[in-house]
Amino acid sequence: MSKKEEIINKVAQDKLDFNLGIQLLAEDLEYDFEELFMTLKNYIFNAIPEKIYYNTENYQKSINTIPLKPTYTPIVILKHFPTRIAFSKLAKLPQNENIKVITSLLWIFKVIDTERRNTECKNGCGHFWHSLQ
Ligand SMILES: [Zn+2]
């Protein structure tokens, strides 16, 4: 697991403060936004159990609780477009939106991964990243 993946999973599992996690991820964000975006996108899509529209009640809940102003562009996009279309739009936003995009995606992953750990993973699972110390 890369350093970034470790940060993402620790934040999701409440083993690292959310804002500190964002700060750590942002340190070299300008060099590898694309890679970080793809990693978070893959994590999110994997964690959503509904694989046709990638839209569940919990996914909606995660969008509605992102700790940013709801008028920010990435949140408006997430609320108004179907999941896959929203993500393709997020990938094309100007660079000054990068940190808001990453904040939104890390939050979404934290909420839906927590739900997954509390349901399908509850009695043990084969996700090695769910046994971080
Ligand atoms: Zn698991």
Side-chain angles (χ1 to χ4, degrees):
M1 196 182 321
S2 74
K3 189 72 200 155
K4 283 197 172 61
E5 291 173 302
E6 197 181 323
I7 294 168
I8 292 166
N9 282 292
K10 282 188 168 170
V11 168
Q13 294 168 36
D14 276 328
K15 289 168 181 160
L16 182 67
D17 176 70
F18 183 81
N19 291 319
L20 180 58
I22 289 292
Q23 205 180 312
L24 292 170
L25 291 173
E27 273 169 8
D28 50 2
L29 189 56
E30 60 186 291
Y31 305 107
D32 63 359
F33 171 76
E34 217 166 296
E35 192 201 323
L36 183 56
F37 179 87
M38 285 311 296
T39 301
L40 281 164
K41 182 187 167 188
N42 288 335
Y43 275 166
I44 290 167
F45 278 54
N46 275 319
I48 296 175
E50 189 277 298
K51 304 293 186 195
I52 297 169
Y53 302 105
Y54 292 93
N55 190 12
T56 61
E57 203 178 308
N58 201 41
Y59 173 74
Q60 290 301 323
K61 185 184 108 188
S62 74
I63 292 173
N64 287 319
T65 54
I66 293 169
L68 291 173
K69 283 189 190 155
T71 50
Y72 281 167
T73 307
I75 301 189
V76 172
I77 288 173
L78 284 161
K79 282 186 178 165
H80 288 91
F81 292 95
T83 310
R84 275 175 296 188
I85 294 171
F87 274 72
S88 69
K89 288 182 182 290
L90 293 183
K92 294 176 202 144
L93 286 177
Q95 202 181 333
N96 63 2
E97 298 286 345
N98 284 1
I99 189 68
K100 291 173 212 155
V101 171
I102 295 307
T103 303
S104 301
L105 299 195
L106 185 61
W107 183 265
I108 291 171
F109 180 63
K110 181 176 168 61
V111 172
I112 62 181
D113 187 63
T114 298
E115 170 78 10
R116 180 169 63 164
R117 277 182 284 106
N118 290 335
T119 54
E120 62 174 289
C121 297
K122 200 168 71 177
N123 298 314
C125 67
H127 306 129
F128 70 89
W129 61 92
H130 279 166
S131 47
L132 282 175
Q133 293 304 311

